[in-house]
Amino acid sequence: MIAAVAPWVADALVVLGVFIMTVGVYGMIRMPDIYTQMHAASKAVFLGVISFLFASMFSGDPAIIFRAALIAVFLILTTPVAAHMIAKAAYERGEKMRTPGAVDQSGRGLNREAHPGD
């Protein structure tokens, strides 16, 4: 019974991963500043790839399951670090926050309202 349902579940997870990554790309295009674009990209990559990895785990091959689990652990550890470093680099460059209602708590004047001419 499980062997008959596994390919359907794997296919659904692949479709879910493609959908999540598509929404992430759309978010990267539509978001107004680097901070929100980085957020959309990191979430889409993490959730989309994790969905693909879960789909590959339905193969039943222990070697594939082990590799997929290692990749998932690697992504869990590295995705937040990479997003943080991108945001820090943007902050150090003085990138403006263009999101409506954004609150800059750094004191460096990165808010759009702080510099009306930008």
Side-chain angles (χ1 to χ4, degrees):
M1 176 68 175
I2 294 175
V5 176
W8 292 95
V9 174
D11 290 346
L13 286 170
V14 167
V15 169
L16 178 67
V18 169
F19 175 74
I20 290 170
M21 289 188 154
T22 303
V23 170
V25 168
Y26 181 72
M28 287 177 55
I29 293 169
R30 296 282 299 157
M31 296 294 174
D33 61 9
I34 188 69
Y35 304 104
T36 53
Q37 290 172 351
M38 175 268 316
H39 180 74
S42 65
K43 298 302 176 203
V45 166
F46 177 73
L47 294 173
V49 171
I50 292 295
S51 179
F52 291 148
L53 292 173
F54 281 140
S56 68
M57 287 183 182
F58 278 96
S59 69
D61 185 7
I64 292 175
I65 293 171
F66 179 71
R67 288 182 190 138
L70 282 178
I71 293 169
V73 168
F74 180 74
L75 280 174
I76 288 170
L77 295 175
T78 60
T79 301
V81 174
H84 174 76
M85 295 313 303
I86 292 169
K88 184 175 179 182
Y91 172 78
E92 293 296 327
R93 282 186 48 191
E95 290 288 329
K96 303 284 187 219
M97 293 181 184
R98 291 177 178 82
T99 303
V103 177
D104 176 24
Q105 296 179 351
S106 70
R108 290 186 58 187
L110 297 177
N111 270 6
R112 177 178 59 162
E113 293 83 15
H115 299 285
D118 290 341

